[in-house]
Amino acid sequence: MWNYQKRLQYPINIKTPNPKLASFIASQYGGPHGEVGAAMRYLSQRFSMPNGITKATLTDIGTEELAHLEMVGTLIHQLTKNATTTEIENSPMAPYYIDHGKGVYAISAGGNPFKAETFSVTGDPIADLVEDLAAEQKARATYDNILRVSDDPDVNDVIKFLREREVVHFQRFGEALDSIQNKPASRNTFYMGMKNK
Amino acid sequence: MNERCQLMKQIMEYSFAAHDWNLYLNTHPNDRMALRFFKEMSKKAMELKKIYAEKYGPITVSDVNNDQEWTWINEPWPWSV
């Protein structure tokens, strides 16, 4: 179970409204490489993991992703709260605004609502952890793309923090994968094929 | 930055450090130096959270310590500008 702490993981204080940037950043809330997909993927994959290292790593990184989801939601909220209707109308956020107003909704930058396929659970520890390594890189690449199009230093400071976390998570998932790859079933020639019948 | 924000920033720093050692320890469970750092950061974060809750309001519901009023619902919430 979980307990809520009434604070962010990292401080966010955006001074300048920017609905265009909000509509781009929204992708890290509910887009294909976003935080809600990451959190649910890791927290769901835990149940079929074979050892304490992998169970703990998925639990704690999955939990951190929930805190990141809150941070991305905060960015969207603070970037739109004081934006005028005209500013929104003349930005790429206009179609989003018609359906969701200034609310925070799980949708990609391209306008596709969140898809549960991104949870990607196979029940196979190797397949799932390799998926997670790729997922961290895809999220990192998305944050890099956001940094290329954003010139707000207050936003970029937060995005850089989130980007660094993807790098750390990639490292820990790699170590978790090692913990099962290096102990393959006794007669296996390959990493795959855990004793899992 | 006012005193309240300063204290919250310190809480974020120590909590983050403890969390990052937590992730490291998950994959290096016998690293004694990391165990010591985790304990230090975690203790400091807990102490500061206690001070914050007494001065400014609850961070978790179990911090609520008021016979007159349910202070959990008070502003600010984390996403407020």
Side-chain angles (χ1 to χ4, degrees):
Chain A
M1 64 93 56
W2 277 265
N3 290 317
Y4 184 68
Q5 287 186 43
K6 201 171 170 181
R7 65 177 184 90
L8 297 176
Q9 191 189 20
Y10 187 87
I12 302 181
N13 190 7
I14 307 303
K15 298 171 195 82
T16 321
N18 188 339
K20 179 172 97 172
L21 191 52
S23 73
F24 295 161
I25 290 173
S27 223
Q28 278 305 86
Y29 196 84
H33 316 126
E35 300 290 353
V36 72
M40 294 304 119
R41 183 183 321 112
Y42 305 151
L43 295 175
S44 301
Q45 288 175 350
R46 296 180 297 158
F47 299 100
S48 44
M49 284 294 147
N51 64 9
I53 290 177
T54 48
K55 287 174 201 174
T57 297
L58 284 166
T59 300
D60 296 336
I61 294 180
T63 301
E64 186 180 349
E65 305 294 11
L66 289 173
H68 294 172
L69 183 70
E70 182 180 43
M71 286 176 63
V72 176
T74 298
L75 282 173
I76 299 165
H77 172 68
Q78 293 191 6
L79 281 167
T80 55
K81 187 164 185 277
N82 295 318
T84 65
T85 312
T86 313
E87 281 170 338
I88 292 173
E89 195 185 337
N90 294 322
S91 82
M93 194 198 164
Y96 176 103
Y97 180 77
I98 299 305
D99 288 329
H100 311 294
K102 290 182 181 180
V104 175
Y105 180 66
I107 196 164
S108 76
N112 296 311
F114 179 75
K115 286 196 179 70
E117 280 98 326
T118 66
F119 293 176
S120 291
V121 177
T122 66
D124 181 296
I126 303 266
D128 282 359
L129 285 166
V130 172
E131 175 83 36
D132 300 342
L133 287 166
E136 294 294 334
Q137 288 302 329
K138 288 187 266 188
R140 194 265 309 150
T142 308
Y143 284 125
D144 277 335
N145 293 339
I146 291 169
L147 286 170
R148 285 188 193 100
V149 299
S150 163
D151 56 5
D152 181 332
D154 297 324
V155 171
N156 291 0
D157 180 54
V158 178
I159 299 293
K160 281 177 193 164
F161 171 84
L162 292 167
R163 180 193 177 281
E164 280 170 23
R165 298 312 293 157
E166 311 299 345
V167 175
V168 172
H169 294 172
F170 178 80
Q171 175 71 26
R172 300 292 165 246
F173 280 134
E175 292 159 358
L177 180 61
D178 280 346
S179 80
I180 51 177
Q181 275 188 339
N182 292 335
K183 289 174 189 164
S186 54
R187 280 192 299 274
N188 280 341
T189 312
F190 302 102
Y191 290 138
M192 282 67 78
M194 304 283 297
K195 280 180 189 161
N196 202 13
K197 284 175 188 166
Chain B
M1 195 183 283
N2 63 32
E3 209 177 292
R4 179 184 184 146
C5 289
Q6 193 64 45
L7 182 56
M8 181 46 89
K9 187 164 171 275
Q10 277 186 304
I11 290 170
M12 286 174 175
E13 285 166 356
Y14 283 106
S15 303
F16 174 73
H19 170 72
D20 208 36
W21 284 116
N22 167 1
L23 295 189
Y24 173 86
L25 280 160
N26 286 344
T27 54
H28 305 77
N30 301 310
D31 186 328
R32 286 195 196 173
M33 195 179 75
L35 284 164
R36 200 178 71 236
F37 282 138
F38 171 77
K39 205 168 147 187
E40 261 177 52
M41 297 298 114
S42 176
K43 185 164 167 264
K44 190 79 183 156
M46 269 194 289
E47 287 166 3
L48 291 172
K49 281 180 196 171
K50 194 163 171 273
I51 295 170
Y52 183 97
E54 279 164 10
K55 269 186 144 172
Y56 303 114
I59 295 178
T60 66
V61 279
S62 54
D63 292 333
V64 179
N65 184 16
N66 188 316
D67 298 329
Q68 312 294 320
E69 188 199 349
W70 181 244
T71 52
W72 178 247
I73 62 172
N74 293 354
E75 293 292 332
W77 285 84
W79 50 87
S80 58
V81 182

